[in-house]
Structures are given as structure tokens and as C-alpha cells.
Amino acid sequence: MTSFREPCTRSACFGRCVGIRRHSSAMEHRRWEISLFLLLHVQSLLVSAWPPRCDTRIRGHCSPILEEKPKCTDIQLSYCEDMAYSQTLFPNILGHSTRQEAESGVEYLLLSVVESLLGGECQPEIRMLGCSVLAPRCEKDKVVKPCRSTCEALQKRCVHAFEAIEMAWPYFLDCDRFFVGEEEGCYDPIKDVKAQSDGDYDYFLLDVPPVEPALKIKFTYHTNAQMNSILKKTQQECADIAKTYSIGRSMEGRELLVIEFSNNPGQHELLEPEMKFVANIHGDEAVGRQLLIYLAQHLCSEYRLGNERVRTLINTTRIHILPSINPDGFEFALSGQNDRSGGDEDNDEGHRYISSNVGRNNAQNIDLNRNFPDLTSIVYSRRRQKAYRTDHVPIPDHYWFGKVAPETYAVMKWIRSLPFVLSANFHGGDLVVSYPYDRSKHPLDVNLLSPTPDDKVFKFLAKTYASTHESMYTGNTPCGSAHTHSQRGTVNGAQWSSNAGGMQDFNYLHTNCFEVTMELGCDKFPPEDDLFISWHENQEAMLSFIEAAHRGIKGIVKDVEGNGIKGAKITVRGIRHNIAATDQGEYWRLLTPGTHIVTATALGYTRATKMVQIPPTMHSAGRVDFVLEKVAMEPLQLQEEEEEAAAYNRFDPNNQYERYILMADISSAGEERVEKPWWWSYFVLPGVPSPTWLLKTH
């Protein structure tokens, strides 16, 4: 008979139920103790099997950790694979621990593009010198450092190339820091290059600076870096008569570099006329740019050789040469022409550059020779007024609200800052000298003869150049449309091709400067083989044009105490165009041979008039001084004169251009940035500190 245990309840066998539960809890606790014991025992066995812990406080208790020593490895940096050795070692001299770290640095990036930056100058030596630091020579698992003497010689020879693009000598080519002397067992990383150069390196290893290489004319096209380098080397060779200076930068940051020649460079001398040559305002018109580079070298070398004519020109004239107003356009044109040529320099025709409009405009796609203030239209609109003027016409305020290119702005400030008397502007595409006006007086802007009040002077200046050019004067030009209106290689600009906003009209109507335009040939970008011919055809014409700055008369307008009168006006009867005296009261007035009635006037002074006779055989300016006495001024007249002067002096009155530049130079963080060279953005890498060591001003 099966019996069933009654369930525990508060009313029945309460004590028995409690006893059963207590027995069950004791059994569970026992099992837990056994499990814990087994777990601790297993852990103790595992711990006893581990090696003893290293205690660095007990000598000999810890075994030394052996680090793997660096070993020589094959060079895997592609721009360093042509070194005379095949193995290198990491960490390198700069501390890069791996090839990947060296390859991702700005230093290696610089070596990869340095040939293009320097226009091929000092190559491959600079690259190989850098490779000797980034991928140093390794022998028997040790680094062999490059020689300090090699570094110093190369720096002496090539530092100017970096200066030409406003780049500092790279820090990793610091000759004292990363290079050693011969006594320390160094090696020459460019030894093989020297051996292959047939002695070209001998001259820079001497203490005597090189002379001939800087002055030797190479009839090839030069990049902007090469051009600036040549100008700065020319300055170094002729430091007593030459000086380079910048008038600003292009849209892409390239320097607008000028070289001047004078017996006192950098200073204006009393009564010494100043003249300028400018070129390449259209980037694809390259001949004038090259001619001005050659002219700078020619003036320097001939002066040193004692050429009497060149010495006289430099000693009596301050000559300014700006080879390129539009360096951005030229670079674009040069790359475009090279692409068209297919890189084949060994064909029967030589290195050919195909003419086109590629690169004509600046980097903003602005035609710079249409970007100057259109003062000619202002003159035309006022010509029926009794007292209208054609000199020192103010720039209208509305001009600044348009698109003013940085190159245009820089040239205008330059023209206003110096007392230029004469100017030549080199173009290409025809063979003729064009003179103002460039803008037609026809109401519909149809091509029409539109002479200036100084038409005789401009024709004389144009003829001076054309008649001494070897082929321009014949007028038998096989290209362009100028020949239909030209007379012996000269033509009125508006009659030939009317355009507004040109530079030569601006020079004449806004300042004292008389500018003409030289079209140097049918081909804007001819083969390099033709550059020597162009130089030969234009050399004498350029020198003759400099001499033309001394035509006419010059002098000083003074008060009775002998002080120069600033802003005094020089008027020639029959010519409705005045010349203004400088701060010292000096003036230059270009005139053709003949008899002229000349008057000097100034605000608050009497007027003085003289008759001047200029014989045809006189090739230097005649000295004509004026002395004016002070007089009382009518208040109304005084007010009108002051308002007129204030209007002329108002240059960008609302700072429109300045504000535009300022906004462009403000970073996203709101901090004003220092103006950087055109190449700067190429070396700024994401996540890497900016390489300020590349900047000369850092």
C-alpha cells in the first residue's frame, strides 16, 4: 500500500518540514565548498606552471630584451634610385624610421618637384643632395653621411634659384647640421654628376664667383623661375648698376619682377629721365619677354666690357625692365604649346611652338590690355568743352567696382609711383609700331585714325624704333592687318584696331609717360631657333629707343628762393597736353625738332614763358629752367585747383580692391594670413603641419 507524505503546512508537522529544508541547505553548501576548492587548486597548478615574474630590482633576474639592429636595405624611393649607391638605412639622417614615413614627408615631395620649380636649374644635383639625407648611403649596416664641402659649394651656386621663387634654402640641406667633414669619412653624393659634366663644376668650387655663365645669353624660352633667376643673377654680377624689385604678384601669386639699370640703382637722380620696357601682357606673346631678358643680360655684360654707348645710357638714364606682366598666362601658354608639339624636340623643324590664343589672358581670364581705365572715352566726351584736358585724367570711381586684375593694379601703382618719361610695350602677331590713341573717336568705335595732341612726337618715337629694326621699316609684313594702314612700319592704334582699356592710352592720359606698342613678328610663339634672329633684329632698335628718352627739353621749375615747385605744369603752345613737375620741380618734355613756345605755371605762382629752338641734330634734352614768383590766388580758382588735384590723387578711394585682397587673405578661422608664394598650396598636406621652413620670411 503506497503512502503519500503530507505536504507541509503551518497546521501540520511544521517541525518536520523545517528539518528537511535544513538538511537540504547543508548539502548544497558542502557542494559549493568542494567546487571552490577544486577551482583554487586548478588555478594554483596553472600559476605554478608559468615562468617566474621578472623583477628588475634583482640583478640577473631579468633577461635583457634584444632589439633588432637596423640593417642596410635597398633604396625604394623612386626619385633616389639613380644614386651611385644602392642601399640605405632607416632611421635616416632626418629620423624617418621607415621608407613610408620618408616618402610621405614634405621633404621628399619637394625633391620630386624641385626640377620643375627651379626650371631645371641645378638639377639633378639638388635632388641628389637631398636624397643623400633622406636615403643616406649604407655600408656595413652603418650610415655614411654626405660631405659638407659638397653641400656648401652647391648652396653657393644654387641658392639664387630658390630665392628667385621666394623659397628658403631647405632646412634638410643645412650643410652644418646634416653633413660632415672629410675627416669623418664622408662621401660626395654628386661625384658621378661632376665627372660627367666635363669640368662645368670647377668654377663654383673656387672662391671667385662665376661671371660668364650669368651673362651668357641662351636663346631658349625661359620659365618664370628661370627668368627670375636670370634677373637676380644679373643683379649679382652687376650690383653696382643693377637692382631687382617686385611691383606685386599675379593672380596665382607669381612675382612681377623688375630689373633696373642706373649708375645709382634704387635711387632717382635729379633730372635723370626714367624709362621702361614691358612685355608679355598677353601670355601667349612670348618674343618680347625673351628679348627683355636678353636686354638685361646685354646691358650688364656690355657695361662691364666697357661698351661706351651702353655705359652712357646707364650713366644718364634709369632703365626699368619688366619682362612679364602676365606670368600666369605665359605658363599656361608654354604648357599648351609643349602639348601641341608632342614633346618631339628632334624633328627637322626644331622645337616648335604653335601660335594660338592659349594663355593670352591672365588666370582670371581677363585680357590685361583691356583692363585699364578707359580714360580715352572720357577725353572724347569732353572734347567740346572749352577747358577740357588730355593729361592727368583721374581714374573714375566706378572703375574700381569692376573686375580689376591684380596684375593691372600692380602696374598702375608702379606707373604712378615713378616719373616715367618713355615706355615700350612689346606684343606679337604683327610687325609694326603702334602709337596712341588705341580707342577710336568714332561714336560706334569703328576703326578710325584718332591722333593724340602729341601725334608728331608719337610718330617720331615709333619711327625711331621701326627705322632701326632690320625689317620692320620696309612695311612688307606677310601677316596681320596693320600693313593696310601702316607707314614705314608705324600705325595709329585706333586706325588699325580700336580697343578700350589699353595700357598705352592709360600711360599717356594719366601720367607724363609716352608709351608705344611694338608688335615683334607674325608668330607670337615662334620656334626657339628664331629667337636669335629676333634678338639680332631688335637689339639696335631697343638701344635707340632708350636714347629717345633724352629728346626734347628738361629742367626745373623753381620759386625765387630756388625751391622746386611740386606739380608745376609745362605747356607747349599748340599741344593740348601738359606735363607735371615732380616733387622736386623737375620735368622732361619730349618734343620733335623745331621751335616751341613753352610755358610753366603753378598754383599760387605767376607764369613764365620761353621760346625754345630744338635743332634736328640735338640728341640730348636741352636744359630749360623756369623761376616763378608767388601771387595771391582767387578763392574760387584755388578751390577748383585743389579739387582737381584731389580727384587725381584718389586711387581706389573706397578700397574696393584692397578689401577684395584682404578677404582673400583671411583664413576660415578669421586670422589674417601672410601672403604666400604661388607654390605654397602644393606643399600644404592634410593632417601635416604647414612647412613654414620653405618660406624665406619664416
Side-chain angles (χ1 to χ4, degrees), residues 49-200:
W50 291 348
R53 179 176 295 178
C54 171
D55 190 347
T56 57
R57 294 172 296 179
I58 303 175
R59 185 177 181 182
H61 192 254
C62 297
S63 300
I65 299 175
L66 299 178
E67 295 183 359
E68 185 177 354
K69 292 184 177 180
K71 295 183 179 180
C72 294
T73 182
D74 292 340
I75 295 178
Q76 296 181 9
L77 298 176
S78 59
Y79 284 96
C80 299
E81 290 179 346
D82 60 345
M83 298 296 286
Y85 52 91
S86 60
Q87 292 201 311
T88 187
L89 187 73
F90 288 99
N92 61 16
I93 297 176
L94 296 183
H96 297 143
S97 57
T98 63
R99 173 188 66 82
Q100 291 80 3
E101 184 180 352
E103 204 167 36
S104 62
V106 177
E107 298 87 352
Y108 185 70
L109 177 61
L110 175 60
L111 293 186
S112 70
V113 298
V114 69
E115 182 173 3
S116 297
L117 285 175
L118 303 185
E121 191 166 0
C122 297
Q123 298 302 319
E125 301 93 318
I126 291 293
R127 177 178 58 79
M128 298 181 80
L129 193 70
C131 285
S132 70
V133 176
L134 290 175
R137 184 171 185 166
C138 182
E139 293 180 356
K140 298 180 180 179
D141 296 333
K142 291 184 179 180
V143 166
V144 182
K145 290 189 175 182
C147 292
R148 184 179 296 117
S149 59
T150 301
C151 176
E152 290 173 344
L154 196 60
Q155 182 177 9
K156 181 178 179 181
R157 174 175 172 252
C158 300
V159 67
H160 68 86
F162 287 89
E163 291 176 348
I165 60 171
E166 293 194 329
M167 181 181 286
W169 183 257
Y171 85 92
F172 61 94
L173 300 185
D174 187 324
C175 302
D176 294 325
R177 186 175 174 188
F178 301 113
F179 298 78
V180 298
E182 283 79 359
E183 66 278 3
E184 299 179 60
C186 68
Y187 78 99
D188 185 349
I190 59 176
K191 181 179 179 181
D192 291 346
V193 178
K194 292 180 182 179
Q196 297 171 8
S197 65
D198 297 328
D200 288 345

Side-chain angles (χ1 to χ4, degrees), residues 282-346:
H282 291 146
D284 61 334
E285 297 170 10
V287 176
R289 169 192 170 102
Q290 291 304 131
L291 293 184
L292 294 189
I293 296 172
Y294 305 155
L295 177 63
Q297 294 175 290
H298 178 74
L299 292 176
C300 177
S301 61
E302 290 301 305
Y303 190 93
R304 296 187 63 174
L305 292 172
N307 184 311
E308 190 63 31
R309 185 186 186 190
V310 170
R311 279 181 167 268
T312 299
L313 287 175
I314 292 176
N315 290 336
T316 60
T317 321
R318 192 177 180 198
I319 307 163
H320 303 257
I321 299 173
L322 173 59
S324 182
I325 297 179
N326 187 5
D328 298 346
F330 174 80
E331 286 291 338
F332 191 52
L334 182 63
S335 62
Q337 304 295 357
N338 281 329
D339 291 344
R340 285 177 171 81
S341 68
D344 183 8
E345 301 185 16
D346 298 323

